[in-house]
Amino acid sequence: GSVDLGFNADTDANGIDGPVWAIAVQADRKIIIGGDFTSINGVVRNHIARLNADGSLDASFNNPGTGANDSVRALAIQLDGRILVGGLFTSFDGTPQNRIARLNPDGSLDASFDGAVGADGAVYAIALQPDNRILLGGGFTRYGNVERNHLTRINPDGSVDPTINFGAGCNNFVASIVVQPDDAI
């Protein structure tokens, strides 16, 4: 529980200029962060950035381009290294992505994932199932033009998974999701 003095994400007087709401660690120990920030140490990083293991900004992760146009609230790293991003945004690097997007390991937008229709409200939670399907929780009531009150499961391509039925869903927003070892949600 002691502070790791070798980790310092605020290496400059500018630091991170807004809240960090989501963190995910890649296999190489690099750290993806998402939130309400627009720069780190004076370098423009709209709502998403990658830090090195020591907390310094990873300048090589510049492929998100203009990044998200609003807050990033959820992150998950898939086994293949691709990065799922959820939040309040409606575009990512100028491309329509309604509150859900997937990035390639280098940070570029993954064109094989369709987040354009996406959710009609915020995505606050992302969890991955062993079969690569994706669980989303948030403040949305529809996903992909299908009624999904605050909880849905999508296929690896971003489409709604019609094989699961959460009934009426949840009566309020979902802020976190966990998949148990027996695959129960």
Side-chain angles (χ1 to χ4, degrees):
S2 62
V3 174
D4 179 357
L5 299 176
F7 182 87
N8 186 1
D10 188 10
T11 59
D12 185 333
N14 294 321
I16 299 172
D17 73 347
V20 172
W21 295 109
I23 300 171
V25 180
Q26 295 178 304
D28 62 1
R29 297 184 47 214
K30 291 190 178 187
I31 304 157
I32 305 292
I33 60 172
D36 286 333
F37 56 86
T38 56
S39 71
I40 298 177
N41 297 331
V43 178
V44 174
R45 291 292 186 263
N46 287 316
H47 307 283
I48 191 164
R50 184 167 66 192
L51 305 177
N52 294 307
D54 66 359
S56 63
L57 180 64
D58 180 357
S60 71
F61 190 78
N62 195 23
N63 290 326
T66 58
N69 70 339
D70 203 341
S71 185
V72 169
R73 297 295 181 99
L75 294 166
I77 309 292
Q78 294 182 301
L79 291 175
D80 63 4
R82 291 185 286 184
I83 305 157
L84 289 161
V85 183
L88 285 70
F89 56 88
T90 56
S91 73
F92 201 97
D93 195 20
T95 302
Q97 298 289 302
N98 281 310
R99 297 154 190 105
I100 185 73
R102 185 168 63 199
L103 308 180
N104 293 306
D106 67 359
S108 62
L109 193 61
D110 181 354
S112 70
F113 183 85
D114 185 8
V117 176
D120 68 352
V123 171
Y124 294 129
I126 302 172
L128 302 170
Q129 292 188 290
D131 62 2
N132 292 320
R133 288 189 277 191
I134 303 158
L135 294 162
L136 302 177
F140 55 87
T141 58
R142 298 183 73 72
Y143 184 92
N145 294 320
V146 177
E147 187 172 336
R148 299 287 190 184
N149 287 318
H150 311 291
L151 182 63
T152 193
R153 184 168 70 186
I154 61 176
N155 293 309
D157 66 359
S159 63
V160 174
D161 181 355
T163 66
I164 195 165
N165 182 351
F166 291 111
C170 302
N171 68 349
N172 209 333
F173 72 92
V174 173
S176 62
I177 302 172
V178 174
V179 177
Q180 296 180 158
D182 66 356
D183 207 27
I185 301 165

